[in-house]
């Protein structure tokens, strides 16, 4: 146990990712983690980095805008060979997306039948067996929103920084607070540290600013609630493929700035989560 009621799994040293910079992207369900992850992956690739994005949600749509399709999941292809991973070829589960971003969808077990953490572990093992991590500069885990799930915790064994996507509203910040607590608990045994928050789908940042000041969190980037971002998903496109407008170019520049800052190295935040009641008192309701 890690002292906070959470079971710590000791990482197999053979399953470490290596020299790549590894980021795990978190946030409540529906907040835009996949859109954020995919555009961040492209931004890293525009900086000349070799990028691998790993979707860790049973919906397996993390890389949808990169590949223009729902690619087969690792768990599906493993089932297809009766879990004899030596029979798989790289092209069975790794697909090249826009601007050379390599895409993998871990998938998930059928509902109520298994742990998402196992699936993430099998995915990293498979990538390691096929030597796919040795030639990668950046790995982005796009993680499901359920804080209590093993699939949530497993990427933290590999990540350098945990990044949270949140909107400037109470529900997003409440979820962010729980994620801060989870990452802080895991950081006692793993190398992962909090990197900060990406403010998404928000005109203002006042509520998140209050939370940051109270907890020690920090804003890494801010993306407004623009219709072009919604439309990019419908068009199966990243924001870097959409027709340029001044507002879109500003968003692209923010992603490139974010990628450059993450590559250079952001400070590890020693943020402290709040009690639930204290969040209500801090943000309150009019």
């Amino acid at each position: 146990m890690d002292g906070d009621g959470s079971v710590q799994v000791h990482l197999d040293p053979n399953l470490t990712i290596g020299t790549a910079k590894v980021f795990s992207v978190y946030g409540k369900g529906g907040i835009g983690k996949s859109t954020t992850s995919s555009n961040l992956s492209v931004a890293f690739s525009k900086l000349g980095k070799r990028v691998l994005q790993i979707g860790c949600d049973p919906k397996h749509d993390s890389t949808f805008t990169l590949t223009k399709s729902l690619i087969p999941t690792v768990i599906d292809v493993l089932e297809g060979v009766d879990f004899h991973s030596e029979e798989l070829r790289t092209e069975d589960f790794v697909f090249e997306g826009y601007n050379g971003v390599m895409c993998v969808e871990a998938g998930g077990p059928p509902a109520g039948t298994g742990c998402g953490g196992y699936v993430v572990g099998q995915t990293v093992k498979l990538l390691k067996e096929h030597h796919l991590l040795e030639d990668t500069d950046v790995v982005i885990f796009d993680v499901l929103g359920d804080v209590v799930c093993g699939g949530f915790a497993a990427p933290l064994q590999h990540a350098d920084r945990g990044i949270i996507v949140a909107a400037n509203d109470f529900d997003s910040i409440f979820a962010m607070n729980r994620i801060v607590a989870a990452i802080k608990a895991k950081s006692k045994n793993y190398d992962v540290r909090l990197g900060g928050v990406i403010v998404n789908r928000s005109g203002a940042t006042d509520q998140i600013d209050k939370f940051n000041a109270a907890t020690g969190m920090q804003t890494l980037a801010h993306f407004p609630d623009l219709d072009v971002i919604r439309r990019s998903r419908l068009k199966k496109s990243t924001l870097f493929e959409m027709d340029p407008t001044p507002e879109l170019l500003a968003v692209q520049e923010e992603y490139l700035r974010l990628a450059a800052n993450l590559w250079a190295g952001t400070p590890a935040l020693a943020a402290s989560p709040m009690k639930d009641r204290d969040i209500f008192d801090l943000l309150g309701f009019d």
Side-chain angles (χ1 to χ4, degrees), residues 49-222:
K49 308 306 178 188
R50 298 165 298 182
V51 186
L52 172 66
Q53 181 169 320
I54 304 174
C56 302
D57 192 309
K59 291 203 313 295
H60 63 91
D61 63 346
S62 170
T63 59
F64 179 71
T65 58
L66 291 163
T67 63
K68 321 306 178 197
S69 65
L70 288 176
I71 63 176
T73 70
V74 166
I75 203 70
D76 287 341
V77 298
L78 280 172
E79 283 180 341
V81 294
D82 200 24
F83 289 88
H84 293 294
S85 60
E86 68 278 1
E87 296 181 18
L88 293 179
R89 302 164 301 167
T90 301
E91 55 266 32
D92 291 331
F93 61 95
V94 181
F95 298 83
E96 185 171 342
Y98 174 70
N99 210 46
V101 175
M102 303 310 294
C103 301
V104 175
E105 292 284 353
T113 64
C115 176
Y118 166 79
V119 177
V120 174
Q122 287 299 302
T123 298
V124 173
K125 181 180 178 183
L126 200 56
L127 293 167
K128 193 81 172 176
E129 288 174 352
H130 286 254
H131 307 288
L132 294 169
L133 299 172
E134 298 163 11
D135 297 324
T136 303
D137 299 313
V138 175
V139 177
I140 294 179
F141 285 99
D142 174 15
V143 192
L144 78 171
D146 191 346
V147 181
V148 299
C149 173
F152 171 97
L156 295 175
Q157 300 179 41
H158 306 286
D160 302 302
R161 291 286 183 270
I163 297 170
I164 304 171
V165 180
N168 190 53
D169 61 51
F170 180 84
D171 288 346
S172 294
I173 295 170
F174 188 87
M176 173 162 58
N177 189 63
R178 288 176 58 82
I179 296 166
V180 168
I183 294 175
K184 184 175 182 182
K186 297 304 176 189
S187 69
K188 294 177 182 178
N189 289 62
Y190 304 147
D191 292 335
V192 66
R193 298 293 182 268
L194 275 162
V197 55
I198 296 171
V199 185
N200 196 41
R201 295 181 183 168
S202 302
T205 63
D206 57 313
Q207 299 299 297
I208 285 179
D209 292 342
K210 282 185 186 178
F211 178 80
N212 289 353
T215 60
M217 278 291 280
Q218 202 166 69
T219 295
L220 294 168
H222 175 205

Side-chain angles (χ1 to χ4, degrees), residues 202-255:
S202 302
T205 63
D206 57 313
Q207 299 299 297
I208 285 179
D209 292 342
K210 282 185 186 178
F211 178 80
N212 289 353
T215 60
M217 278 291 280
Q218 202 166 69
T219 295
L220 294 168
H222 175 205
F223 299 106
D225 188 13
L226 298 177
D227 190 58
V228 67
I229 299 176
R230 180 190 65 81
R231 285 190 287 110
S232 70
R233 190 92 175 152
L234 296 176
K235 288 181 174 290
K236 304 180 185 178
S237 295
T238 68
L239 291 170
F240 290 87
E241 300 165 83
M242 300 289 284
D243 293 335
T245 63
E247 64 179 14
L248 180 61
L249 290 172
V251 171
Q252 292 175 357
E253 284 300 317
E254 182 76 341
Y255 269 110

Side-chain angles (χ1 to χ4, degrees), residues 170 207 279-286:
F170 180 84
Q207 299 299 297
I279 296 181
F280 278 91
D281 292 341
L282 177 73
L283 302 181
F285 300 93
D286 293 330

